[in-house]
Amino acid sequence: MPSFRPRAGVTPSTESTATMNPLLDFSGLPRYSEVKPEQVTPAVDQLLGENRALVETLCGPSTPPTWEAFVAPMEDANERLSRAWGQVSHLHSVLDSPELREVYNANLPRITQYYAELGQHQGLFLKFKALAASAAYAALSPARRKIVDNELRDFRLGGAELPEADKPRFMAIQEELSKHSAKFEENLLDATNAWSKFITDEAELAGLPDDAKAMFREMAEADGSLANTPGFKLNLQAPSFMPILQYCENRGLREEMYRAYTTRASEYGAETLDNTPLIARILELRAEAARLLGFASYAQVSLEPKMAETPAEVLDFLENLATRAKPYAERDMAELRDYAAKELSLTDLQAWDVAFASEKLREARYAFSENEVKQYFPEPRALAGLFRVIETLYGLDIREDAAPVWHEDVKFFAIRDRSGQLIGQFYLDLYARDTKRGGAWMDDAITRRRKGEAIQTPVAYLNCNFTRPVGGKPALLTHDDVITLFHEFGHGLHHLLTRVEDLGVSGINGVEWDAVELPSQFMENFCWEWDVVKHMTGHVDTGEPLPRDLFDKMLAAKNFQAGMQTVRQIEFALFDMHLHHDLPPGKTALDLLREIRQRVAVVHPPEYNRFPNNFSHIFAGGYAAGYYSYKWAEVLSADAYSLFEENGQLSGVLNPDIGHRFWSEILAQGGARPAIESFKAFRGREPTIDALLRHNGMA
Ligand SMILES: [Zn+2]
């Protein structure tokens, strides 16, 4: 049943065509059973036309700079576009077809262009400024003031406040940067694909699992140049490179591939694919853009919309974590060297031996079969266990519900409070399909907001790529799958349990980028809690719960080499932050990385290693001066979870009192207030790194 009341004040044209084009019907849940590719372009045409006309009206002198006259209609219009286009891009992700892909690709640049126009629109900027300067601003709710502040901040960072004389240069920098970032990624891809190796003697691949060898054989067969010669083809893509480094007993082959992999897109390969000059140029341009905006470094620009306040705060955080983790990393490394020398006759452990020796040590110490564990996690048990956690912590009920869906695999659920009040709904699409993109993700279908007298309740998509049921048995999830499921539900609950009534900061909207993984990583903790796990397992044949000794082995394996992994992440994060904050003139990125490794790392790669040349997170992705976020969010989520642990001694970790506090201080708040305030309101103090270290066995 559609759960939404009719919208107040919709644009008449939208309403009248709603019955014809389901993408233009915003009265309830998406009508997935009726959506067709040929409806996409007309819907986008109509919405873009209406929205652009509205923007011009709103920027005109007859529109007063108030929430009701200016912000509210803009929000309504953008919500319509994002709901319509959200269905198209969702279908593109989960039920791809040639027809849909064609209309998706044809319309995506139009949508991107529209949002870019809004971001640069001087009229909108001036109107927001007028609103912020008016007496009406002070009377707005904190959530609405936050939305206005966020808008002004984004306009400023986009160059809207620059002197006219500087604007062309600023725009030229942005264009050049996006060109260089794209080229960085292309070079890396081309350099990765430029290398391959054929092997005819299977003995050279000793140690590899059969499925990896089968994959290499298929790759050789697919390559015409090796017709009729039985053999194996290796390349530098992760599914090929990783198993060689991890399992291949042939040390020479490991070294050869390691060298090829770590020198991609550098001066060791084709000059046209060398990323070294791009790195220097990208850093130069980012620094120049930062100067134009009035910041001392690009790192400061990057941190402006984030939870961390200053580069110094991030650097302190990372250095502190490094100091605490380093002794454990050294211990991990000493153990590994010792084991490699005694058991594997590797007396001079090199960078290309680390993954191999680690795998052998892990097997020797924590051997258990993933396949054995899987038998205890049939999907219905795992889901029931997840729902039990949510229902107990927050006093909610989760029941299957009916809605039009895009595929027969998809289930739909409603979350209600104990009085029966609808809180939100979600789609659950768990299995891999060849029409679905990889990975697991949460996306919003409808966001909570007030509409006149009524509340529009939120709806989420939860998507995974688990193995579908076979042989009449339920799907079996690995423990990693279960963790993934909990993680995505953390994002889902952030979206669904919000109590904010304004779109721009409702749910995950407007949440600082380095805090957005708090609720998701928080949920993962429950997968390591015996009291929770024992309730969500039952052997697929016998119904027996997971044996405690098997769980203990899983727990012991969880923190294997946690020290080494931590300092590696810190090395990358320190490199990224210094690079964008205080790289001295005349020093290269590679010089900086070597200095940081001297201090922080326990694995010292060979001189030829050119890691910066393939660090696309920061040169081609959105992680510049943001790589620290991984550890930052882990600290927040571990520290938040530790309050459940502290109070769980008697009653267990599923404590409803603390659950309600987590809900009301963190999940409910969305982006309506700074994440640090939400954290402190929940935890009663500033975050500390102790819980993360303890969870990783480093206390
Ligand atoms: Zn996540």
Side-chain angles (χ1 to χ4, degrees):
M1 285 293 289
S3 53
F4 313 122
R5 299 171 200 214
R7 307 163 36 79
V10 279
T11 313
S13 62
T14 301
E15 195 75 335
S16 60
T17 50
T19 43
M20 293 181 284
N21 192 334
L23 289 169
L24 295 173
D25 179 2
F26 305 103
S27 63
L29 292 166
R31 288 154 51 183
Y32 276 113
S33 43
E34 298 161 58
V35 175
K36 300 198 170 52
E38 61 268 27
Q39 294 156 340
V40 173
T41 302
V44 171
D45 284 347
Q46 181 174 332
L47 291 170
L48 286 182
E50 286 173 2
N51 286 13
R52 285 195 168 108
L54 178 72
V55 168
E56 291 322 305
T57 311
L58 293 182
C59 291
S62 59
T63 303
T66 62
W67 185 273
E68 288 71 22
F70 169 60
V71 186
M74 194 70 235
E75 263 194 345
D76 287 343
N78 283 334
E79 185 191 27
R80 287 194 289 275
L81 179 63
S82 91
R83 277 176 63 174
W85 183 249
Q87 293 175 49
V88 178
S89 69
H90 179 66
L91 287 174
H92 176 250
S93 300
V94 297
L95 197 69
D96 198 18
S97 68
E99 299 76 31
L100 184 72
R101 187 181 296 190
E102 197 186 318
V103 290
Y104 175 82
N105 287 333
N107 284 287
L108 180 62
R110 305 174 66 205
I111 304 283
T112 313
Q113 167 67 23
Y114 167 74
Y115 285 113
E117 276 166 35
L118 291 191
Q120 297 297 328
H121 202 290
Q122 199 65 17
L124 288 176
F125 174 57
L126 292 175
K127 202 66 97 172
F128 270 113
K129 256 175 88 166
L131 171 56
S134 71
Y137 174 80
L140 292 178
S141 68
R144 290 185 172 179
R145 284 204 301 270
K146 188 78 170 30
I147 291 171
V148 174
D149 294 348
N150 288 352
E151 290 287 347
L152 289 175
R153 175 199 67 203
D154 294 344
F155 274 115
R156 258 198 320 275
L157 295 179
E161 204 137 65
L162 288 175
E164 285 307 318
D166 287 342
K167 279 186 182 170
R169 177 61 195 148
F170 186 81
M171 295 312 288
I173 292 173
Q174 302 306 321
E175 264 172 48
E176 200 184 333
L177 271 175
S178 69
K179 216 176 65 198
H180 291 332
S181 289
K183 181 78 172 116
F184 185 99
E185 193 69 60
E186 274 171 34
N187 283 352
L188 185 57
L189 188 68
D190 291 350
T192 302
N193 292 335
W195 188 95
S196 64
K197 183 181 173 75
F198 289 97
I199 286 178
T200 45
D201 181 3
E202 191 170 344
E204 285 197 60
L205 299 177
L208 281 170
D210 288 341
D211 58 347
K213 281 198 266 191
M215 182 189 70
F216 293 139
R217 194 175 279 123
E218 276 173 27
M219 283 160 60
E221 279 161 10
D223 188 304
S225 67
L226 207 72
N228 304 322
T229 320
F232 306 86
K233 182 182 174 183
L234 315 182
N235 64 29
L236 293 182
Q237 283 156 19
S240 160
F241 170 72
M242 308 286 275
I244 296 288
L245 268 281
Q246 203 173 353
Y247 296 108
C248 188
E249 286 165 17
N250 181 344
R251 195 183 191 197
L253 183 58
R254 288 203 308 269
E255 182 177 0
E256 185 184 348
M257 278 192 81
Y258 175 87
R259 178 188 271 270
Y261 189 81
T262 60
T263 56
R264 284 174 303 157
S266 76
E267 74 271 29
Y268 292 100
E271 202 186 335
T272 50
L273 302 182
D274 187 357
N275 275 341
T276 313
L278 288 179
I279 291 174
R281 188 67 188 138
I282 288 171
L283 292 173
E284 213 173 79
L285 289 167
R286 283 177 181 164
E288 190 188 345
R291 272 198 307 277
L292 285 173
L293 292 172
F295 291 91
S297 71
Y298 182 78
Q300 289 187 350
V301 179
S302 168
L303 294 187
E304 231 359 54
K306 296 192 173 83
M307 179 179 170
E309 301 264 337
T310 62
E313 185 188 1
V314 174
L315 291 169
D316 276 356
F317 160 74
L318 293 169
E319 292 289 351
N320 185 16
L321 200 52
T323 307
R324 300 276 295 270
K326 183 87 185 267
Y328 293 93
E330 278 167 342
R331 189 198 63 186
D332 291 343
M333 195 59 191
E335 276 174 6
L336 188 65
R337 277 187 205 290
D338 191 48
Y339 176 83
K342 283 193 185 125
E343 306 294 329
L344 308 171
S345 307
L346 288 169
T347 49
D348 60 331
L349 195 74
Q350 298 293 334
W352 49 89
D353 300 321
V354 170
F356 176 75
S358 297
E359 179 58 26
K360 291 276 178 286
L361 175 59
R362 196 186 63 79
E363 281 169 16
R365 223 188 250 175
Y366 307 109
F368 66 84
S369 126
E370 193 169 76
N371 194 47
E372 185 189 351
V373 173
K374 248 167 90 164
Q375 309 303 317
Y376 291 96
F377 287 101
E379 180 206 312
R381 294 301 285 254
L383 264 189
L386 168 68
F387 292 173
R388 175 177 169 266
V389 168
I390 299 168
E391 290 174 336
T392 313
L393 281 180
Y394 306 121
L396 297 168
D397 273 316
I398 303 177
R399 291 284 151 77
E400 197 156 353
D401 203 351
V405 294
W406 51 91
H407 190 276
E408 60 184 12
D409 286 350
V410 183
K411 290 182 180 149
F412 187 71
F413 295 85
I415 305 179
R416 292 175 195 278
D417 69 15
R418 293 276 152 87
S419 73
Q421 177 82 30
L422 184 69
I423 304 285
Q425 292 155 301
F426 59 90
Y427 300 90
L428 190 62
D429 186 355
L430 289 182
Y431 313 132
R433 285 191 292 276
D434 52 10
T435 52
K436 192 187 206 177
R437 77 167 158 93
W441 72 98
M442 190 287 294
D443 217 339
D444 56 319
I446 296 174
T447 302
R448 185 181 198 272
R449 63 180 301 201
R450 176 168 291 282
K451 289 248 176 106
E453 290 301 296
I455 290 291
Q456 169 176 287
T457 53
V459 182
Y461 304 114
L462 288 142
N463 312 286
C464 297
N465 266 281
F466 300 153
T467 310
R468 64 177 51 252
V470 282
K473 288 183 181 182
L476 299 176
L477 308 190
T478 67
H479 190 246
D480 271 349
D481 290 341
V482 176
I483 292 172
T484 299
L485 185 66
F486 273 64
H487 179 104
E488 297 310 330
F489 258 88
H491 289 305
L493 293 172
H494 205 182
H495 175 68
L496 295 167
L497 298 190
T498 192
R499 294 201 186 106
V500 177
E501 300 187 348
D502 288 293
L503 209 55
V505 289
S506 175
I508 56 173
N509 286 350
V511 175
E512 292 103 310
W513 194 74
D514 45 355
V516 95
E517 295 294 333
L518 191 173
S520 53
Q521 295 182 347
F522 166 82
M523 282 296 286
E524 293 182 24
N525 289 289
F526 293 106
C527 303
W528 296 105
E529 209 61 72
W530 176 241
D531 274 346
V532 173
V533 170
K534 74 181 177 202
H535 285 288
M536 60 190 291
T537 56
H539 193 281
V540 64
D541 296 325
T542 66
E544 290 291 311
L546 183 77
R548 178 69 200 236
D549 62 330
L550 184 52
F551 179 71
D552 287 340
K553 276 191 204 166
M554 291 158 62
L555 211 51
K558 169 183 178 247
N559 289 332
F560 177 59
Q561 293 186 338
M564 274 170 72
Q565 281 159 21
T566 301
V567 297
R568 188 172 155 81
Q569 288 298 310
I570 295 171
E571 172 192 324
F572 298 160
L574 279 172
F575 171 61
D576 165 46
M577 190 49 71
H578 280 298
L579 200 59
H580 290 102
H581 183 53
D582 54 8
L583 181 70
K587 199 177 262 187
T588 67
L590 192 60
D591 297 334
L592 174 70
L593 181 60
R594 283 178 179 150
E595 262 177 40
I596 290 169
R597 275 180 176 153
Q598 281 307 318
R599 277 193 305 115
V600 175
V602 293
V603 176
H604 295 283
E607 195 282 328
Y608 60 71
N609 180 300
R610 289 291 179 272
F611 172 74
N613 295 48
N614 56 59
F615 198 9
S616 48
H617 270 83
I618 66 166
F619 294 115
Y623 279 81
Y627 197 83
Y628 73 92
S629 305
Y630 287 109
K631 280 288 155 206
W632 185 272
E634 263 184 72
V635 163
L636 297 177
S637 62
D639 200 14
Y641 187 73
S642 69
L643 188 61
F644 288 82
E645 293 174 312
E646 283 166 19
N647 290 274
Q649 309 296 346
L650 288 173
S651 55
V653 288
L654 298 182
N655 180 320
D657 293 332
I658 303 172
H660 272 95
R661 195 153 127 200
F662 189 74
W663 181 358
S664 56
E665 299 296 359
I666 292 186
L667 298 175
Q669 297 292 335
R673 69 179 178 194
I676 186 66
E677 281 179 29
S678 295
F679 183 90
K680 286 195 289 193
F682 169 68
R683 199 63 184 83
R685 57 161 174 73
E686 300 274 345
T688 77
I689 62 176
D690 303 292
L692 176 67
L693 292 169
R694 181 165 49 77
H695 290 165
N696 286 337
M698 295 191 283

